[in-house]
Short mmCIF file of all heavy atoms in Angstrom, two decimals:
data_model
loop_
_atom_site.label_atom_id
_atom_site.label_comp_id
_atom_site.label_asym_id
_atom_site.label_seq_id
_atom_site.Cartn_x
_atom_site.Cartn_y
_atom_site.Cartn_z
N MET A 1 0.85 -1.18 0.00
CA MET A 1 0.00 0.00 0.00
C MET A 1 0.89 1.23 0.00
O MET A 1 1.85 1.31 0.73
CB MET A 1 -0.91 -0.04 1.22
CG MET A 1 -1.91 1.09 1.23
SD MET A 1 -3.12 0.91 2.55
CE MET A 1 -4.01 -0.52 1.98
N ALA A 2 0.53 2.18 -0.82
CA ALA A 2 1.34 3.38 -0.92
C ALA A 2 0.48 4.61 -0.74
O ALA A 2 -0.75 4.54 -0.71
CB ALA A 2 2.03 3.42 -2.29
N GLY A 3 1.11 5.73 -0.61
CA GLY A 3 0.39 6.99 -0.49
C GLY A 3 -0.29 7.14 0.85
O GLY A 3 0.07 6.51 1.83
N SER A 4 -1.33 7.99 0.87
CA SER A 4 -2.00 8.28 2.13
C SER A 4 -2.71 7.06 2.70
O SER A 4 -2.94 6.98 3.90
CB SER A 4 -2.98 9.43 1.95
OG SER A 4 -3.96 9.08 0.99
N GLY A 5 -3.07 6.09 1.84
CA GLY A 5 -3.73 4.88 2.33
C GLY A 5 -2.88 4.11 3.31
O GLY A 5 -3.39 3.49 4.23
N ALA A 6 -1.57 4.14 3.10
CA ALA A 6 -0.66 3.44 4.00
C ALA A 6 -0.69 4.05 5.39
O ALA A 6 -0.37 3.37 6.37
CB ALA A 6 0.76 3.48 3.43
N PHE A 7 -1.06 5.28 5.47
CA PHE A 7 -1.13 5.97 6.76
C PHE A 7 -2.54 5.87 7.35
O PHE A 7 -2.71 5.63 8.54
CB PHE A 7 -0.74 7.44 6.56
CG PHE A 7 -0.83 8.27 7.80
CD1 PHE A 7 0.08 8.11 8.83
CD2 PHE A 7 -1.83 9.21 7.93
CE1 PHE A 7 -0.01 8.88 9.99
CE2 PHE A 7 -1.92 9.99 9.08
CZ PHE A 7 -1.01 9.82 10.11
N ILE A 8 -3.55 6.04 6.51
CA ILE A 8 -4.93 6.13 6.99
C ILE A 8 -5.51 4.75 7.32
O ILE A 8 -6.21 4.61 8.32
CB ILE A 8 -5.80 6.85 5.95
CG1 ILE A 8 -5.35 8.30 5.84
CG2 ILE A 8 -7.28 6.77 6.31
CD1 ILE A 8 -5.96 9.06 4.68
N ALA A 9 -5.24 3.75 6.50
CA ALA A 9 -5.87 2.44 6.70
C ALA A 9 -5.60 1.85 8.09
O ALA A 9 -6.54 1.40 8.74
CB ALA A 9 -5.43 1.47 5.60
N PRO A 10 -4.36 1.85 8.58
CA PRO A 10 -4.15 1.30 9.92
C PRO A 10 -4.91 2.07 10.99
O PRO A 10 -5.43 1.48 11.93
CB PRO A 10 -2.63 1.43 10.13
CG PRO A 10 -2.07 1.46 8.75
CD PRO A 10 -3.10 2.19 7.93
N MET A 11 -4.99 3.38 10.85
CA MET A 11 -5.73 4.18 11.83
C MET A 11 -7.22 3.87 11.76
O MET A 11 -7.90 3.77 12.77
CB MET A 11 -5.52 5.68 11.58
CG MET A 11 -4.14 6.14 11.98
SD MET A 11 -3.99 7.93 12.17
CE MET A 11 -4.81 8.56 10.76
N ALA A 12 -7.74 3.70 10.54
CA ALA A 12 -9.17 3.38 10.38
C ALA A 12 -9.46 2.01 10.99
O ALA A 12 -10.48 1.83 11.67
CB ALA A 12 -9.55 3.41 8.91
N LEU A 13 -8.59 1.05 10.78
CA LEU A 13 -8.80 -0.29 11.33
C LEU A 13 -8.78 -0.28 12.85
O LEU A 13 -9.45 -1.09 13.49
CB LEU A 13 -7.74 -1.26 10.80
CG LEU A 13 -7.95 -1.74 9.38
CD1 LEU A 13 -6.80 -2.66 8.97
CD2 LEU A 13 -9.28 -2.44 9.21
N ALA A 14 -8.03 0.63 13.43
CA ALA A 14 -7.94 0.70 14.89
C ALA A 14 -9.29 1.03 15.52
O ALA A 14 -9.53 0.71 16.68
CB ALA A 14 -6.89 1.72 15.31
N SER A 15 -10.17 1.65 14.74
CA SER A 15 -11.48 2.02 15.28
C SER A 15 -12.55 0.97 15.01
O SER A 15 -13.71 1.14 15.38
CB SER A 15 -11.92 3.37 14.69
OG SER A 15 -12.16 3.24 13.31
N VAL A 16 -12.17 -0.13 14.36
CA VAL A 16 -13.12 -1.19 14.02
C VAL A 16 -13.06 -2.29 15.08
O VAL A 16 -11.97 -2.67 15.53
CB VAL A 16 -12.79 -1.77 12.62
CG1 VAL A 16 -13.69 -2.95 12.28
CG2 VAL A 16 -12.90 -0.69 11.56
N ALA A 17 -14.23 -2.77 15.48
CA ALA A 17 -14.29 -3.84 16.49
C ALA A 17 -13.50 -5.07 16.05
O ALA A 17 -13.39 -5.35 14.85
CB ALA A 17 -15.75 -4.22 16.73
N ALA A 18 -12.98 -5.79 17.02
CA ALA A 18 -12.13 -6.95 16.73
C ALA A 18 -12.83 -7.97 15.84
O ALA A 18 -12.21 -8.56 14.95
CB ALA A 18 -11.67 -7.60 18.03
N ASP A 19 -14.13 -8.17 16.06
CA ASP A 19 -14.84 -9.18 15.28
C ASP A 19 -15.26 -8.67 13.90
O ASP A 19 -15.88 -9.41 13.13
CB ASP A 19 -16.06 -9.70 16.04
CG ASP A 19 -17.11 -8.63 16.29
OD1 ASP A 19 -16.77 -7.43 16.28
OD2 ASP A 19 -18.28 -8.99 16.49
N LYS A 20 -14.91 -7.43 13.58
CA LYS A 20 -15.23 -6.86 12.26
C LYS A 20 -13.97 -6.58 11.45
O LYS A 20 -14.05 -5.99 10.37
CB LYS A 20 -16.01 -5.54 12.42
CG LYS A 20 -17.24 -5.64 13.28
CD LYS A 20 -18.30 -6.53 12.66
CE LYS A 20 -19.56 -6.51 13.52
NZ LYS A 20 -20.40 -7.65 13.31
N GLN A 21 -12.82 -6.99 11.93
CA GLN A 21 -11.56 -6.76 11.22
C GLN A 21 -11.52 -7.61 9.94
O GLN A 21 -12.21 -8.62 9.84
CB GLN A 21 -10.39 -7.13 12.13
CG GLN A 21 -10.23 -6.23 13.36
CD GLN A 21 -9.76 -4.84 12.99
OE1 GLN A 21 -8.93 -4.66 12.11
NE2 GLN A 21 -10.29 -3.82 13.68
N PRO A 22 -10.72 -7.20 8.96
CA PRO A 22 -10.70 -7.92 7.69
C PRO A 22 -10.36 -9.40 7.83
O PRO A 22 -10.87 -10.23 7.08
CB PRO A 22 -9.66 -7.17 6.85
CG PRO A 22 -8.93 -6.29 7.79
CD PRO A 22 -9.83 -6.04 8.95
N GLU A 23 -9.54 -9.73 8.80
CA GLU A 23 -9.16 -11.14 8.98
C GLU A 23 -10.28 -11.96 9.63
O GLU A 23 -10.16 -13.17 9.77
CB GLU A 23 -7.87 -11.26 9.79
CG GLU A 23 -7.95 -10.78 11.22
CD GLU A 23 -7.64 -9.30 11.37
OE1 GLU A 23 -7.77 -8.55 10.40
OE2 GLU A 23 -7.28 -8.90 12.50
N SER A 24 -11.40 -11.30 10.01
CA SER A 24 -12.53 -12.02 10.59
C SER A 24 -13.42 -12.69 9.55
O SER A 24 -14.30 -13.46 9.90
CB SER A 24 -13.39 -11.06 11.42
OG SER A 24 -12.64 -10.50 12.47
N CYS A 25 -13.17 -12.39 8.29
CA CYS A 25 -13.95 -13.01 7.21
C CYS A 25 -13.79 -14.53 7.27
O CYS A 25 -12.68 -15.04 7.36
CB CYS A 25 -13.46 -12.48 5.86
SG CYS A 25 -14.19 -13.32 4.44
N ILE A 26 -14.92 -15.23 7.22
CA ILE A 26 -14.89 -16.69 7.30
C ILE A 26 -14.94 -17.34 5.91
O ILE A 26 -15.00 -18.56 5.80
CB ILE A 26 -16.03 -17.23 8.19
CG1 ILE A 26 -17.39 -16.80 7.65
CG2 ILE A 26 -15.83 -16.78 9.64
CD1 ILE A 26 -18.58 -17.45 8.34
N GLY A 27 -14.97 -16.49 4.87
CA GLY A 27 -14.95 -17.02 3.52
C GLY A 27 -16.22 -17.71 3.10
O GLY A 27 -16.18 -18.66 2.31
N CYS A 28 -17.35 -17.25 3.60
CA CYS A 28 -18.62 -17.91 3.26
C CYS A 28 -19.12 -17.56 1.85
O CYS A 28 -19.99 -18.21 1.32
CB CYS A 28 -19.69 -17.54 4.28
SG CYS A 28 -20.21 -15.81 4.22
N HIS A 29 -18.59 -16.49 1.28
CA HIS A 29 -18.90 -16.04 -0.09
C HIS A 29 -20.33 -15.51 -0.25
O HIS A 29 -20.78 -15.31 -1.37
CB HIS A 29 -18.62 -17.14 -1.13
CG HIS A 29 -17.17 -17.56 -1.15
ND1 HIS A 29 -16.23 -16.94 -1.94
CD2 HIS A 29 -16.52 -18.51 -0.45
CE1 HIS A 29 -15.05 -17.51 -1.74
NE2 HIS A 29 -15.20 -18.47 -0.84
N SER A 30 -21.04 -15.30 0.85
CA SER A 30 -22.41 -14.74 0.76
C SER A 30 -22.40 -13.37 0.10
O SER A 30 -23.29 -13.04 -0.68
CB SER A 30 -23.02 -14.64 2.16
OG SER A 30 -23.21 -15.91 2.71
N CYS A 31 -21.41 -12.56 0.43
CA CYS A 31 -21.35 -11.20 -0.11
C CYS A 31 -21.12 -11.23 -1.62
O CYS A 31 -21.66 -10.39 -2.35
CB CYS A 31 -20.25 -10.42 0.59
SG CYS A 31 -18.65 -11.23 0.61
N GLU A 32 -20.36 -12.18 -2.10
CA GLU A 32 -20.09 -12.25 -3.53
C GLU A 32 -21.36 -12.53 -4.33
O GLU A 32 -21.48 -12.09 -5.47
CB GLU A 32 -19.06 -13.35 -3.82
CG GLU A 32 -17.67 -12.99 -3.39
CD GLU A 32 -16.66 -14.06 -3.75
OE1 GLU A 32 -17.05 -15.25 -3.87
OE2 GLU A 32 -15.50 -13.72 -3.92
N LYS A 33 -22.28 -13.24 -3.73
CA LYS A 33 -23.51 -13.60 -4.43
C LYS A 33 -24.37 -12.38 -4.72
O LYS A 33 -25.21 -12.41 -5.62
CB LYS A 33 -24.31 -14.63 -3.62
CG LYS A 33 -23.60 -15.96 -3.51
CD LYS A 33 -24.32 -16.89 -2.55
CE LYS A 33 -23.50 -18.17 -2.35
NZ LYS A 33 -23.87 -18.88 -1.15
N VAL A 34 -24.21 -11.31 -3.93
CA VAL A 34 -25.03 -10.12 -4.12
C VAL A 34 -24.23 -8.91 -4.59
O VAL A 34 -24.80 -7.85 -4.81
CB VAL A 34 -25.79 -9.77 -2.81
CG1 VAL A 34 -26.74 -10.88 -2.44
CG2 VAL A 34 -24.82 -9.48 -1.68
N CYS A 35 -22.94 -9.05 -4.74
CA CYS A 35 -22.11 -7.92 -5.15
C CYS A 35 -22.31 -7.61 -6.63
O CYS A 35 -22.01 -8.45 -7.49
CB CYS A 35 -20.64 -8.22 -4.89
SG CYS A 35 -19.56 -6.86 -5.43
N PRO A 36 -22.83 -6.41 -6.97
CA PRO A 36 -23.06 -6.08 -8.37
C PRO A 36 -21.77 -5.87 -9.16
O PRO A 36 -21.79 -5.87 -10.39
CB PRO A 36 -23.88 -4.78 -8.29
CG PRO A 36 -23.51 -4.18 -6.97
CD PRO A 36 -23.23 -5.33 -6.07
N GLN A 37 -20.66 -5.73 -8.46
CA GLN A 37 -19.37 -5.53 -9.12
C GLN A 37 -18.60 -6.84 -9.28
O GLN A 37 -17.48 -6.85 -9.78
CB GLN A 37 -18.51 -4.54 -8.32
CG GLN A 37 -19.16 -3.19 -8.12
CD GLN A 37 -19.38 -2.45 -9.43
OE1 GLN A 37 -18.56 -2.55 -10.33
NE2 GLN A 37 -20.49 -1.74 -9.54
N THR A 38 -19.19 -7.93 -8.82
CA THR A 38 -18.56 -9.26 -8.83
C THR A 38 -17.14 -9.24 -8.28
O THR A 38 -16.23 -9.88 -8.81
CB THR A 38 -18.59 -9.90 -10.24
OG1 THR A 38 -17.83 -9.10 -11.14
CG2 THR A 38 -20.00 -10.07 -10.74
N ILE A 39 -16.99 -8.48 -7.22
CA ILE A 39 -15.69 -8.41 -6.54
C ILE A 39 -15.51 -9.68 -5.71
O ILE A 39 -16.44 -10.13 -5.03
CB ILE A 39 -15.61 -7.16 -5.65
CG1 ILE A 39 -15.70 -5.90 -6.51
CG2 ILE A 39 -14.33 -7.16 -4.81
CD1 ILE A 39 -15.87 -4.61 -5.73
N HIS A 40 -14.35 -10.25 -5.75
CA HIS A 40 -14.04 -11.45 -4.96
C HIS A 40 -13.65 -10.98 -3.55
O HIS A 40 -12.48 -10.92 -3.19
CB HIS A 40 -12.93 -12.25 -5.63
CG HIS A 40 -13.28 -12.69 -7.01
ND1 HIS A 40 -14.28 -13.62 -7.26
CD2 HIS A 40 -12.82 -12.31 -8.21
CE1 HIS A 40 -14.39 -13.80 -8.57
NE2 HIS A 40 -13.52 -13.01 -9.17
N ILE A 41 -14.66 -10.69 -2.79
CA ILE A 41 -14.49 -10.00 -1.51
C ILE A 41 -13.63 -10.77 -0.51
O ILE A 41 -12.71 -10.19 0.08
CB ILE A 41 -15.86 -9.60 -0.93
CG1 ILE A 41 -16.51 -8.58 -1.88
CG2 ILE A 41 -15.72 -9.03 0.48
CD1 ILE A 41 -17.98 -8.32 -1.62
N PRO A 42 -13.86 -12.05 -0.27
CA PRO A 42 -13.01 -12.74 0.71
C PRO A 42 -11.54 -12.72 0.33
O PRO A 42 -10.67 -12.54 1.19
CB PRO A 42 -13.56 -14.17 0.73
CG PRO A 42 -14.86 -14.14 0.06
CD PRO A 42 -14.93 -12.90 -0.77
N GLU A 43 -11.27 -12.88 -0.96
CA GLU A 43 -9.88 -12.87 -1.40
C GLU A 43 -9.27 -11.48 -1.22
O GLU A 43 -8.10 -11.34 -0.80
CB GLU A 43 -9.77 -13.30 -2.88
CG GLU A 43 -10.04 -14.77 -3.12
CD GLU A 43 -11.54 -15.13 -3.14
OE1 GLU A 43 -12.38 -14.20 -3.10
OE2 GLU A 43 -11.86 -16.32 -3.18
N GLU A 44 -10.04 -10.46 -1.54
CA GLU A 44 -9.54 -9.09 -1.38
C GLU A 44 -9.33 -8.75 0.09
O GLU A 44 -8.37 -8.06 0.44
CB GLU A 44 -10.50 -8.09 -2.04
CG GLU A 44 -10.59 -8.23 -3.55
CD GLU A 44 -9.24 -8.12 -4.26
OE1 GLU A 44 -8.40 -7.30 -3.82
OE2 GLU A 44 -9.02 -8.86 -5.22
N LEU A 45 -10.23 -9.22 0.95
CA LEU A 45 -10.05 -8.99 2.38
C LEU A 45 -8.79 -9.68 2.89
O LEU A 45 -8.06 -9.14 3.72
CB LEU A 45 -11.27 -9.48 3.16
CG LEU A 45 -12.48 -8.56 3.13
CD1 LEU A 45 -13.67 -9.24 3.80
CD2 LEU A 45 -12.18 -7.23 3.80
N LYS A 46 -8.54 -10.88 2.39
CA LYS A 46 -7.34 -11.61 2.80
C LYS A 46 -6.08 -10.85 2.38
O LYS A 46 -5.13 -10.69 3.16
CB LYS A 46 -7.34 -13.01 2.20
CG LYS A 46 -6.23 -13.91 2.73
CD LYS A 46 -6.36 -15.32 2.22
CE LYS A 46 -7.42 -16.06 3.00
NZ LYS A 46 -7.49 -17.50 2.68
N LYS A 47 -6.09 -10.33 1.14
CA LYS A 47 -4.94 -9.55 0.66
C LYS A 47 -4.76 -8.29 1.50
O LYS A 47 -3.64 -7.92 1.85
CB LYS A 47 -5.14 -9.16 -0.81
CG LYS A 47 -4.97 -10.26 -1.80
CD LYS A 47 -5.02 -9.66 -3.20
CE LYS A 47 -5.89 -10.47 -4.11
NZ LYS A 47 -6.14 -9.80 -5.39
N PHE A 48 -5.89 -7.63 1.79
CA PHE A 48 -5.83 -6.41 2.59
C PHE A 48 -5.28 -6.69 3.98
O PHE A 48 -4.42 -5.96 4.49
CB PHE A 48 -7.22 -5.77 2.66
CG PHE A 48 -7.27 -4.50 3.45
CD1 PHE A 48 -6.55 -3.39 3.04
CD2 PHE A 48 -8.04 -4.42 4.59
CE1 PHE A 48 -6.60 -2.21 3.77
CE2 PHE A 48 -8.10 -3.24 5.31
CZ PHE A 48 -7.38 -2.14 4.91
N ALA A 49 -5.77 -7.77 4.60
CA ALA A 49 -5.29 -8.13 5.93
C ALA A 49 -3.79 -8.39 5.92
O ALA A 49 -3.07 -7.97 6.82
CB ALA A 49 -6.06 -9.34 6.46
N THR A 50 -3.32 -9.06 4.87
CA THR A 50 -1.90 -9.34 4.76
C THR A 50 -1.11 -8.04 4.64
O THR A 50 -0.07 -7.88 5.28
CB THR A 50 -1.64 -10.24 3.54
OG1 THR A 50 -2.33 -11.48 3.73
CG2 THR A 50 -0.15 -10.53 3.37
N LYS A 51 -1.62 -7.12 3.83
CA LYS A 51 -0.95 -5.82 3.68
C LYS A 51 -0.90 -5.06 4.99
O LYS A 51 0.01 -4.27 5.23
CB LYS A 51 -1.64 -4.98 2.61
CG LYS A 51 -1.34 -5.44 1.21
CD LYS A 51 -2.01 -4.54 0.19
CE LYS A 51 -1.70 -5.04 -1.22
NZ LYS A 51 -2.38 -4.23 -2.23
N MET A 52 -1.91 -5.30 5.82
CA MET A 52 -1.97 -4.62 7.11
C MET A 52 -1.16 -5.36 8.18
O MET A 52 -1.17 -5.01 9.35
CB MET A 52 -3.42 -4.48 7.58
CG MET A 52 -4.25 -3.53 6.75
SD MET A 52 -3.71 -1.81 6.91
CE MET A 52 -2.83 -1.60 5.38
N GLY A 53 -0.48 -6.43 7.76
CA GLY A 53 0.35 -7.18 8.69
C GLY A 53 -0.42 -8.08 9.63
O GLY A 53 0.05 -8.40 10.73
N ARG A 54 -1.61 -8.51 9.21
CA ARG A 54 -2.43 -9.39 10.05
C ARG A 54 -2.15 -10.84 9.77
O ARG A 54 -1.75 -11.23 8.75
CB ARG A 54 -3.93 -9.12 9.81
CG ARG A 54 -4.32 -7.67 9.93
CD ARG A 54 -4.13 -7.18 11.35
NE ARG A 54 -4.40 -5.76 11.48
CZ ARG A 54 -5.53 -5.26 11.98
NH1 ARG A 54 -6.47 -6.03 12.38
NH2 ARG A 54 -5.66 -3.96 12.08
S1 LIG B 1 -17.20 -13.95 2.63
FE1 LIG B 1 -18.25 -11.97 2.64
S2 LIG B 1 -20.17 -12.30 3.77
FE2 LIG B 1 -18.79 -14.05 4.20
S3 LIG B 1 -17.71 -13.48 6.07
FE3 LIG B 1 -16.43 -12.82 4.37
S4 LIG B 1 -17.00 -10.70 3.99
FE4 LIG B 1 -18.62 -11.59 5.26
#
């Protein structure tokens, strides 16, 4: 992650409840079934969590 996101994302995550953190995704794929952008959300959350050092 580069730019201001590298600074802001960790601060934003600090305000999110522990059970709502990106690594809390259980990979059920329910969100993908309704996502109009067909984003592979569990995979993206996993990548994001890794970038955040989780
Ligand atoms: S796959 Fe989607 S709906 Fe299921 S836990 Fe992860 S983010 Fe939530």
Side-chain angles (χ1 to χ4, degrees):
M1 185 172 292
S4 61
F7 178 71
I8 294 170
M11 287 197 315
L13 284 178
S15 67
V16 176
D19 64 337
K20 306 294 184 202
Q21 294 289 322
E23 65 272 22
S24 299
C25 173
I26 59 172
C28 69
H29 299 271
S30 295
C31 52
E32 287 183 333
K33 293 173 186 161
V34 297
C35 178
Q37 302 296 324
T38 63
I39 296 170
H40 301 292
I41 296 167
E43 289 79 7
E44 294 304 322
L45 282 173
K46 188 174 281 187
K47 286 188 225 171
F48 181 63
T50 298
K51 285 182 180 178
M52 292 293 103
R54 308 294 175 102

